[in-house]
Amino acid sequence: MPTDAIVLLKNDHKEILKTFKQFEKAGENAVKLKGQLVDKMIELLNVHTYIENEVMYPRVRELLPELEDDVLESYEEHHVADVLVIELAAMKPDAERFDAKTTVLIENVRHHIEEEEQEWFPKVRAGLGRKQLQELGAAMEEAKKKAPTRPSQPSALKKAVDAVIS
Ligand SMILES: [Fe+2]
Ligand SMILES: [Fe+2]
């Protein structure tokens, strides 16, 4: 049986939040570990953002036009995270701003995940049937296979810029 879209996204969130906690517990001098954790965050965030941007958001926008404002706000929040992820991916873990930038990324993404889980998902679940949520889940499983795991500089940057000017 295909996974329900909201269950799938919540599982992703859990994994992402786990890397945040690990980063926060790592301590001042754990430069190598923090570098590895940020690599993991980048990978998880890239895949998760991709499947939401490519599948979840556009389909929900189409099926539940009353949720359009929420979707647009989410695209903007993803955009802010994308910019931080691109910068972090190009930064060495011993750089002066590495921890600060990661902390800002964590704050932003935590806020976004909270809004999705507490405000948005309940509206989506109320608006869509079980079958539609399972179809969306299957489509996202499929999209995961071709999701980028690193912000391939030019295309990711282009996407970030397009989001500002479109
Ligand atoms: Fe999101
Ligand atoms: Fe999400």
Side-chain angles (χ1 to χ4, degrees):
M1 198 171 71
T3 312
D4 173 285
I6 291 172
V7 173
L8 182 151
L9 292 174
K10 277 189 175 171
N11 283 337
D12 277 6
H13 289 172
K14 232 182 261 167
E15 248 193 296
I16 291 164
L17 294 172
K18 202 170 107 193
T19 62
F20 291 175
K21 275 233 171 74
Q22 288 170 330
F23 182 91
E24 289 167 337
K25 283 199 308 202
E28 191 66 34
N29 299 316
V31 175
K32 193 174 164 213
L33 173 63
K34 285 192 281 190
Q36 289 165 346
L37 287 168
V38 167
D39 279 346
K40 178 90 185 151
M41 272 176 217
I42 289 174
E43 184 182 329
L44 292 172
L45 286 172
N46 269 312
V47 173
H48 185 73
T49 303
Y50 180 83
I51 64 170
E52 285 189 342
N53 282 356
E54 299 297 318
V55 180
M56 189 71 182
Y57 293 172
R59 284 292 285 153
V60 169
R61 195 177 177 184
E62 202 177 290
L63 295 165
L64 303 170
E66 67 274 23
L67 298 187
E68 171 148 84
D69 285 353
D70 293 323
V71 171
L72 290 174
E73 190 184 322
S74 281
Y75 277 130
E76 290 305 317
E77 290 179 347
H78 280 194
H79 166 65
V80 171
D82 280 345
V83 171
L84 294 167
V85 161
I86 289 166
E87 291 174 351
L88 273 172
M91 202 180 247
K92 293 223 160 47
D94 60 355
E96 187 182 40
R97 295 197 188 183
F98 187 82
D99 281 11
K101 205 178 281 293
T102 306
T103 301
V104 173
L105 175 70
I106 290 174
E107 283 170 359
N108 273 279
V109 174
R110 270 209 185 110
H111 161 83
H112 176 69
I113 286 178
E114 237 165 68
E115 273 192 354
E116 283 190 335
E117 295 206 355
Q118 281 161 26
E119 294 166 34
W120 199 62
F121 288 167
K123 293 187 211 166
V124 172
R125 191 174 287 293
L128 299 183
R130 228 166 76 102
K131 198 163 161 278
Q132 275 173 319
L133 284 169
Q134 285 184 349
E135 280 165 11
L136 268 173
M140 283 192 286
E141 292 280 13
E142 208 42 46
K144 270 194 181 192
K145 292 179 193 158
K146 50 180 181 175
T149 54
R150 297 287 296 176
S152 48
Q153 280 292 75
S155 62
L157 204 55
K158 184 182 174 302
K159 206 181 87 190
V161 172
D162 283 348
V164 178
I165 56 176
S166 62

